[in-house]
Amino acid sequence: MLKQDNTSVSQSSYPRLTRSLSAVESWGFGLTAHISWVALVPAIHAALGSQAIFVWIPAVIVGMLINYQVKRLGMHFINVAGGTPNYVSHLLKRYPGLARYAAIGYLLNWVSYLSVNTLVLTDLIRVNLESLGIACPKLCLDIGFTLLPFAVAFSGTRALSILHLFFAIPAFGLLTTFCVQGLGWLTFSSASPGFFPNSWSSLSFVDWGKWFFFVSYATYSCETASSFVADSRHPKQTLRFLDIAAWMMPLIFIGGSWVMMRLATAPGLDDNAFLNLVAASKPFWGSWAQINITFLLVSASLLGSATVVSNCPRILYQLALDNHISPVFSAVSRRGVFVPALSLTLVLCSFYLIWANVTQIVAVGNIGWFASFMLLHLGLWLGRNRPEVLFPRISLGILLLEIVVLLVGGVAWGWINFLIGLVFPIGIIGIDALIRHVNFPPFHLSWWRRHYRTRSSVIIKDSVILQVSILIILICSAVTTGWLFGANLNTATKATDENLFVVLLMTAAFIGVAVACWTTLPQVVAIAEAREAAEHLFTVAQDGILVLDEQGTIRQANPATESIFDIKPFELLGNHLSKWIFEFPDYPQQWTKRSEHTLFHKTDVRTLEVSISDRPHQDFQEYVVILHDITKRKQAEERLRQSQAQLQQEAKLLASQLVQSEKMSSLGQLVAGVAHEINNPVNFIYGNLTPANEYTQDLLELLQLYQQYYPKPVAQIQKQAQAIDIDFLIEDLPKLLTSMRIGAERITEIVQSLRNFSRLDQAEMKAVNIHEGIDSTLMLLEHRLKATTNHPAIQLIKEYSNLPLVECYPGQLNQVFMNLLANAIDALEESIVGEKTTNNPQICICTSFIADQKLVVISIADNGRGIPENIQKQLFDPFFTTKPVGKGTGLGLSISYQIITQKHQGTLECISSFNKGTEFIITIPLEGRGSKVGRTHLNIKDR
C-alpha cells in the first residue's frame, strides 16, 4: 500500500519557486486582460448599443480598486504564488471551506478562458478557409490550439513568458493605438459621426446586472501580474505594474468601447468580433484594418491561452502548499514544471472543449469567478483591522452590489448555467478529495519526489543529431503545408490571404518555440546556466584567476587579483604576467603546470603557488592561471621550524615540572598523613598530662600526710623508702611531668608546621597568613640551621610586618619558600665550608605591605658569597644549575618563578653582589587578579 501524504507540504523539504522571471516578463502577463477586451466588446455592444458604456464605467472603477487592493495584499504576501485567489485563501484562513471554494472558482474561469480562445481561433480559421473552399479540420485545430501552450509550459523554461511578452507588447501597443486613434478621429475628423450619440436608449437594471456580470470577466482580471510575484526576481516591481494596469483600464475598456459604440454601427454585424472591430477601425486604418484586427484577435487568443497555462498551475501549487488541496499539486521539477497542476488544467480544458458552447462556458465559468471576488471583498471586510486592507467599507459596498449582480445578472444568463457554475467548484473539490485517497502512485507527492530525484537512465550521447533531425522534419513539413495552402490561395482575395497569413505566422511562432523548448532550448539554457556558474565562480573565487593569450598577455582578471597585485584588475589587462613575476619565461607553453614563485610586493615579498592549464579553442589558445597566495603558509612553516626546538625544550620542561609537581604533591600527602598520625597519640598524651599531674600531686600530698602522722613506719617500709630515694622522687616527679608537657607542646608545634606545609597539594586560591607558611617551612628546615662539626649555626632574622590575609595558592607559595630558603642555606654552606668567606652566616626574612598598590613584598636574603652577574640572567631558566651533578635538577627556581609570575601575577627577582650575599624579592598582589603587576624594588640593606 502506498503511504498517504498527510504531512504539511509547507514543512517538507521541497523547494520554493525559483525567482527566475524578470519584472518585465511578469508585466506581460498583466496585459492579457486588456487585450482580451477585443473578444468581449462586440457581444455587449451588439446587445446594449450606446448604453454599454454605463456598464463599462462602474466595472472599470471596481476593477481599478481591486488592482490597488491586490497590490497591497501582494506587498504583504510577497512569497505567495497565484495572486488574488491565494490572497483570498489567506484572508479567509479561519474559513477554509470558503477559501478553497473561492480559489477553485477563480481557477475554473481562467481554465474556461483557454477553451474559449481555442474555439474562437478555430472559428476564425474556419471562416477564412470556407471562403477559399477548403474544408476546415475543426477537431485537429481544437486539439492543436489546446495542446500548443501546454507543449511550451511542459518544457519548464522561461520561453513561454518571453514568447508571451514578445507578442503582448505589440498587441497592446496596437490596441492602445486603436483606442487613441479612434477617439482622436471621432473628435477631430470631418468624417466623424460625432463624439457623442444623438440619443441614448433605455437600460433596465436586469440588463445592466447581466452585462456587468459579463464584463467583470475582463475588468476584474487586470491583476494577473500578481500571480507571478513568488517567482519574480523583483516582486515589488511586478506589483507596481498593477498601478499602470489599473490606469490603462479607462483608456482600453471605456475609450475603446466608446469607439466601438460610435463607429461599429453598420447593420448585420451582430456580435461577430472580427466584423465589429474591422468596422470600427476601417475609418482611420483603412486597408490595414483587417490584418490589424486579425492580429489583435489571434494575439488575444494565443496570449490568453499562454497566461492560463502559466497562471493556473501557480494557483494550484500555492493551494497545495497551504494545505487546501492535495499535496501532489505542489510538485515542481528542477526545471520549474508543475506537472500535476498542468495535467489537471489540461483535463479541465478538455472538459470545456468537449462542451464546445462558448456562451455557456463563459456563463458557467463566470459564476465561480464572480463568487471568488465576492469572497475577496468579504475577506477584506472581515479583516478590516489588518494593515494589508486598504478600504474595507468600500469593499463591503462592492460586496453588497456583487450579491445583487450575481443573483440578477447570473440568473439572467440561465438558471441551469447559474446552478452549474455554483456547483462546479464543489465538484472539483470532491475530485481533489478523491485524489487524496486513491492508491495510485502519481496522485501522491512522494512518488514525484522520488521521480525527480532519479536521473534518467536514457542518455542521448549526441543530442545534436536528434535536434537537427527534428528541425529538418519540421521545416519540410512547413514547406509542404505552405505549398498546399499556396495552391488553394490563388483564387482567394488578398484580404483573406493576409488574415490567414497572420494566423499562420503567430501559430508558427508558438509551434517553433514549442519545438525549441523540447529540443535546442534546454541545451541553450544548460549552456547559459553553466556559463553563469563559471562566471560566478570566476567572480567570487578567493584565489586570483588570470586568462592569458598565447603570448602570455593578460586578457581577463578576477576581483581577487587586486589583493595579490594591489592594483585594479582592469590595470592588469594587456600586460605580460612576467611584469610582476620575473621567473616566468616569455611564452606560456614553456611554463610548468604547477610551481612556486616570488612576488615582490610594494611593502613585502609574497610567495605564490601558480597553477596553469591550457584551454584550446577552435581559433585560438588560452591559458588559465590560478594564483594562490601561500605567503602565510610559508611563514607558518618557517615559524614552525624555528619553534620546533623551543617546543621540544618546553616539552622536556613540562615533563620535569610534572614529575616535580607529582613529587611535591606526594610529599604534601605524606606530610599531611604523618602529621595526622602523630597528632592523634600526641593529643592523647597531651590531654592526659593534666590529670596525671593532678593525680601525682594528690598521691604526694597523701604520702606527706602518712609521713606526718606515721613518722616511724615499719622496717620494711623504711628500707624501701631508702631504696627508691623517696625525697628525690617527691622533688623530681613534678619536674618530670613538666618536661613531658613541654615536649608534647613542641610536638604539637611540629605537627602544626607539617599541616601548614601540607597545603602543597591544594589547588584552590584562598586567603592565608603568609607568616604561617614561612614559619612552617622554617620548622622543616630547622635541622639545617643548627651548628654542625663543619659549620656554625645559621642565624635566622625575622622582620615581619603586620600583613593582612593574602589571596594565593598556599601550597604552591610554600613550595617557593622552601626552594628559596633551601638555596640560601646551600649557598651559606658552600661559602662556609668551601671558600670560608662567611664566619657569621645569616638569613634575613622581611615582609612588608604597600597599601596604595595593595602589594605584599617578601624578601629572603643571605650573606653568602653572592651570584656572579653572568649567571644571574640564567637563574630562572629551566634545567640551569650551578650545583654538582646529582645534587640539583635546575628546576627549583624555574618552577618558583612560574608560580609567582603566572599563577599569582606577581614578580620574582634576584639582587646579588659578589661577596655581599643574595636577595630574592617576591611581590604578589593582596587579592588575586588577572593582570600582571609592575615590579616594585625595595631598598633593603645588604646583609
Side-chain angles (χ1 to χ4, degrees):
M1 292 293 290
L2 185 67
K3 186 177 179 180
Q4 301 295 326
D5 295 336
N6 295 323
T7 57
S8 173
V9 178
S10 60
Q11 296 174 354
S12 70
S13 59
Y14 229 73
R16 292 278 182 171
L17 295 182
T18 303
R19 294 191 178 275
S20 58
L21 295 181
S22 65
V24 177
E25 290 172 56
S26 62
W27 293 354
F29 290 110
L31 297 174
T32 302
H34 298 77
I35 300 172
S36 69
W37 169 87
V38 299
L40 295 179
V41 67
I44 185 174
H45 172 71
L48 299 182
S50 60
Q51 294 298 329
I53 201 67
F54 297 109
V55 176
W56 283 110
I57 292 174
V60 167
I61 294 173
V62 175
M64 293 177 69
L65 293 175
I66 289 174
N67 261 38
Y68 279 101
Q69 179 59 75
V70 170
K71 174 190 173 184
R72 183 67 169 264
L73 292 172
M75 290 294 185
H76 185 77
F77 303 116
I78 201 70
N79 293 315
V80 174
T84 304
N86 298 104
Y87 300 158
V88 176
S89 66
H90 281 77
L91 288 173
L92 298 175
K93 188 178 294 185
R94 296 175 58 186
Y95 311 96
L98 290 178
R100 193 177 297 114
Y101 182 89
I104 298 299
Y106 185 101
L107 172 80
L108 290 175
N109 186 63
W110 270 106
V111 174
S112 69
Y113 187 36
L114 189 148
S115 302
V116 171
N117 290 332
T118 297
L119 296 173
V120 169
L121 274 176
T122 302
D123 287 342
L124 181 63
I125 295 175
R126 179 179 57 79
V127 171
N128 284 276
L129 289 179
E130 287 178 352
S131 66
L132 300 175
I134 302 174
C136 176
K138 186 177 185 304
L139 180 61
C140 294
L141 290 176
D142 287 342
I143 296 174
F145 283 123
T146 299
L147 295 179
L148 183 56
F150 284 98
V152 184
F154 272 106
S155 70
T157 66
R158 288 174 50 204
L160 187 61
S161 62
I162 297 172
L163 176 66
H164 188 284
L165 181 66
F166 183 83
F167 286 107
I169 291 178
F172 184 76
L174 187 61
L175 180 59
T176 305
T177 303
F178 170 85
C179 297
V180 174
Q181 195 170 354
L183 292 173
W185 190 86
L186 285 173
T187 304
F188 301 108
S189 176
S190 58
S192 170
F195 193 84
F196 295 98
N198 296 323
S199 62
W200 300 90
S201 58
S202 61
L203 179 66
S204 67
F205 181 76
V206 174
D207 287 337
W208 181 88
K210 175 182 178 180
W211 289 102
F212 182 93
F213 174 81
F214 179 79
V215 300
S216 66
Y217 192 77
T219 58
Y220 280 17
S221 59
C222 292
E223 36 62 82
T224 312
S226 63
S227 181
F228 304 89
V229 168
D231 46 357
S232 171
R233 291 199 294 265
H234 307 284
K236 292 185 178 180
Q237 292 183 21
T238 295
L239 289 169
R240 290 191 186 101
F241 180 74
L242 269 64
D243 295 342
I244 301 173
W247 285 103
M248 293 304 297
M249 291 168 65
L251 174 63
I252 303 299
F253 296 139
I254 298 176
S257 298
W258 193 272
V259 174
M260 289 289 294
M261 177 185 71
R262 298 298 297 133
L263 296 180
T265 57
L269 297 179
D270 297 325
D271 60 352
N272 187 289
F274 179 76
L275 296 179
N276 276 272
L277 289 167
V278 169
S281 60
K282 201 162 189 179
F284 49 87
W285 276 349
S287 60
W288 287 94
Q290 288 196 29
I291 191 171
N292 287 343
I293 296 305
T294 303
F295 176 76
L296 280 175
L297 288 172
V298 176
S299 297
S301 299
L302 292 178
L303 295 177
S305 299
T307 302
V308 170
V309 297
S310 300
N311 187 18
C312 292
R314 285 168 171 80
I315 297 173
L316 293 170
Y317 166 83
Q318 188 64 47
L319 287 175
L321 281 186
D322 297 334
N323 297 315
H324 287 297
I325 60 174
S326 174
V328 70
F329 295 110
S330 68
V332 185
S333 72
R334 292 184 179 90
R335 294 167 57 191
V337 183
F338 306 83
V339 177
L342 279 170
S343 300
L344 178 61
T345 305
L346 179 58
V347 170
L348 295 174
C349 288
S350 301
F351 172 78
Y352 278 125
L353 193 62
I354 294 171
W355 196 352
N357 189 315
V358 175
T359 303
Q360 287 186 333
I361 291 174
V362 173
V364 170
N366 225 25
I367 295 292
W369 168 265
F370 207 74
S372 176
F373 280 93
M374 288 171 56
L375 292 173
L376 167 65
H377 292 115
L378 175 62
L380 294 173
W381 172 248
L382 293 176
R384 52 189 174 276
N385 296 323
R386 297 172 64 167
E388 63 269 24
V389 177
L390 274 180
F391 18 72
R393 293 186 178 180
I394 296 178
S395 297
L396 178 61
I398 295 174
L399 172 61
L400 298 176
L401 174 65
E402 287 172 336
I403 293 174
V404 176
V405 170
L406 180 63
L407 294 176
V408 175
V411 173
W413 287 97
W415 275 101
I416 296 178
N417 296 332
F418 181 78
L419 293 176
I420 294 175
L422 288 177
V423 174
F424 203 1
I426 300 175
I428 300 302
I429 294 172
I431 293 174
D432 170 68
L434 183 64
I435 289 175
R436 290 174 182 260
H437 296 90
V438 172
N439 188 20
F440 181 58
F443 284 176
H444 300 279
L445 180 59
S446 57
W447 185 86
W448 290 99
R449 288 179 177 174
R450 290 193 300 270
H451 174 71
Y452 288 144
R453 292 194 190 107
T454 305
R455 293 182 178 270
S456 175
S457 58
V458 180
I459 301 175
I460 301 175
K461 295 183 178 180
D462 193 353
S463 60
V464 176
I465 296 177
L466 175 63
Q467 295 165 23
V468 172
S469 301
I470 293 174
L471 287 176
I472 290 172
I473 294 171
L474 291 171
I475 291 171
C476 293
S477 301
V479 172
T480 303
T481 304
W483 180 81
L484 292 174
F485 268 98
N488 291 277
L489 288 175
N490 291 329
T491 60
T493 62
K494 186 176 187 298
T496 304
D497 190 0
E498 292 174 348
N499 295 342
L500 285 175
F501 172 75
V502 172
V503 175
L504 290 174
L505 178 65
M506 295 194 63
T507 304
F510 270 76
I511 294 174
V513 172
V515 171
C517 288
W518 289 97
T519 56
T520 58
L521 196 56
Q523 305 297 327
V524 173
V525 171
I527 294 171
E529 290 175 350
R531 185 187 68 252
E532 291 175 0
E535 291 176 350
H536 177 71
L537 291 175
F538 183 79
T539 303
V540 303
Q542 296 182 352
D543 289 338
I545 302 177
L546 301 173
V547 179
L548 313 180
D549 61 13
E550 297 176 351
Q551 307 301 320
T553 303
I554 301 172
R555 296 303 179 190
Q556 287 181 272
N558 73 330
T561 55
E562 182 175 356
S563 62
I564 296 176
F565 297 101
D566 201 23
I567 60 175
K568 297 294 182 182
F570 69 85
E571 297 180 16
L572 295 170
L573 306 183
N575 295 291
H576 199 281
L577 186 57
S578 61
K579 181 178 180 180
W580 288 274
I581 303 177
F582 306 120
E583 297 97 329
F584 273 135
D586 292 336
Y587 298 102
Q589 297 89 338
Q590 303 171 357
W591 299 351
T592 57
K593 297 297 182 182
R594 185 181 295 273
S595 57
E596 293 183 5
H597 296 275
T598 301
L599 173 67
F600 294 95
H601 199 256
K602 293 181 179 178
T603 56
D604 58 358
V605 177
R606 295 182 179 179
T607 304
L608 301 179
E609 184 180 67
V610 181
S611 303
I612 181 171
S613 62
D614 57 344
R615 188 170 65 175
H617 290 266
Q618 185 173 359
D619 301 322
F620 59 92
Q621 186 87 0
E622 274 188 345
Y623 295 88
V624 178
V625 178
I626 300 177
L627 306 173
H628 181 54
D629 191 347
I630 59 173
T631 305
K632 293 183 178 180
R633 189 182 77 188
K634 287 293 184 180
Q635 293 173 349
E637 291 174 354
E638 182 63 25
R639 286 195 297 268
L640 184 62
R641 284 192 294 269
Q642 293 176 355
S643 63
Q644 187 173 5
Q646 181 180 354
L647 290 174
Q648 292 176 349
Q649 185 77 1
E650 290 179 357
K652 184 178 179 181
L653 171 61
L654 290 174
S656 301
Q657 288 179 343
L658 182 62
V659 173
Q660 184 74 6
S661 175
E662 187 64 27
K663 285 182 179 179
M664 295 304 296
S665 177
S666 300
L667 176 61
Q669 295 176 7
L670 176 63
V671 169
V674 171
H676 178 72
E677 295 299 326
I678 295 175
N679 190 54
N680 287 334
V682 168
N683 286 340
F684 173 77
I685 295 171
Y686 187 79
N688 287 317
L689 284 176
T690 298
N693 186 50
E694 293 176 355
Y695 299 159
T696 301
Q697 292 297 329
D698 293 341
L699 291 174
L700 291 177
E701 289 177 358
L702 179 62
L703 182 60
Q704 289 174 356
L705 288 176
Y706 270 104
Q707 288 177 343
Q708 180 179 353
Y709 293 103
Y710 298 99
K712 293 183 179 180
V714 294
Q716 187 176 358
I717 295 175
Q718 291 180 358
K719 184 179 178 180
Q720 183 65 24
Q722 292 176 357
I724 64 175
D725 195 358
I726 188 66
D727 293 333
F728 176 77
L729 188 148
I730 292 172
E731 180 182 358
D732 194 56
L733 184 57
K735 294 179 181 179
L736 177 64
L737 292 173
T738 301
S739 298
M740 291 176 66
R741 179 183 296 276
I742 294 172
E745 289 176 350
R746 177 60 178 162
I747 293 173
T748 301
E749 292 176 358
I750 293 173
V751 169
Q752 184 63 38
S753 297
L754 290 174
R755 282 181 171 178
N756 289 338
F757 189 79
S758 68
R759 293 174 178 169
L760 275 170
D761 59 342
Q762 294 180 0
E764 69 276 6
M765 179 175 281
K766 58 175 65 176
V768 297
N769 187 334
I770 292 294
H771 294 154
E772 290 182 357
I774 297 174
D775 291 341
S776 65
T777 305
L778 290 172
M779 178 70 70
L780 298 178
L781 294 173
E782 186 175 359
H783 67 284
R784 296 193 60 188
L785 299 176
K786 295 179 180 179
T788 65
T789 55
N790 295 326
H791 61 78
I794 298 175
Q795 183 181 2
L796 185 64
I797 302 173
K798 298 181 181 179
E799 297 180 359
Y800 290 171
S801 299
N802 187 18
L803 296 182
L805 297 180
V806 179
E807 285 189 4
C808 62
Y809 297 96
Q812 296 183 12
L813 202 58
N814 287 347
Q815 182 180 354
V816 174
F817 296 152
M818 174 67 76
N819 289 334
L820 296 181
L821 288 170
N823 281 346
I825 293 172
D826 290 342
L828 289 174
E829 289 178 348
E830 291 177 5
S831 63
I832 294 171
V833 177
E835 301 180 7
K836 299 186 182 299
T837 57
T838 303
N839 297 323
N840 184 25
Q842 294 180 354
I843 295 178
C844 181
I845 303 174
C846 300
T847 62
S848 60
F849 177 57
I850 304 175
D852 58 342
Q853 299 184 40
K854 294 185 178 181
L855 297 176
V856 174
V857 181
I858 302 117
S859 169
I860 299 176
D862 65 70
N863 60 346
R865 64 179 181 177
I867 302 174
E869 185 175 354
N870 62 332
I871 295 178
Q872 291 183 30
K873 298 178 180 180
Q874 306 176 64
L875 277 181
F876 302 118
D877 292 346
F879 308 107
F880 176 78
T881 180
T882 58
K883 296 178 182 180
V885 176
K887 191 173 182 180
T889 63
L891 290 172
L893 289 178
S894 173
I895 293 174
S896 299
Y897 185 80
Q898 291 186 9
I899 290 173
I900 297 300
T901 58
Q902 296 180 14
K903 301 287 286 187
H904 292 84
Q905 305 300 320
T907 61
L908 174 62
E909 55 184 330
C910 174
I911 301 175
S912 182
S913 300
F914 188 68
N915 289 331
K916 290 187 178 181
T918 302
E919 179 181 16
F920 287 92
I921 301 174
I922 301 171
T923 306
I924 59 175
L926 181 64
E927 299 177 352
R929 54 189 176 183
S931 59
K932 292 185 178 182
V933 298
R935 296 190 175 200
T936 303
H937 299 272
L938 303 178
N939 294 324
I940 302 176
K941 295 189 302 178
D942 293 331
R943 293 174 172 83

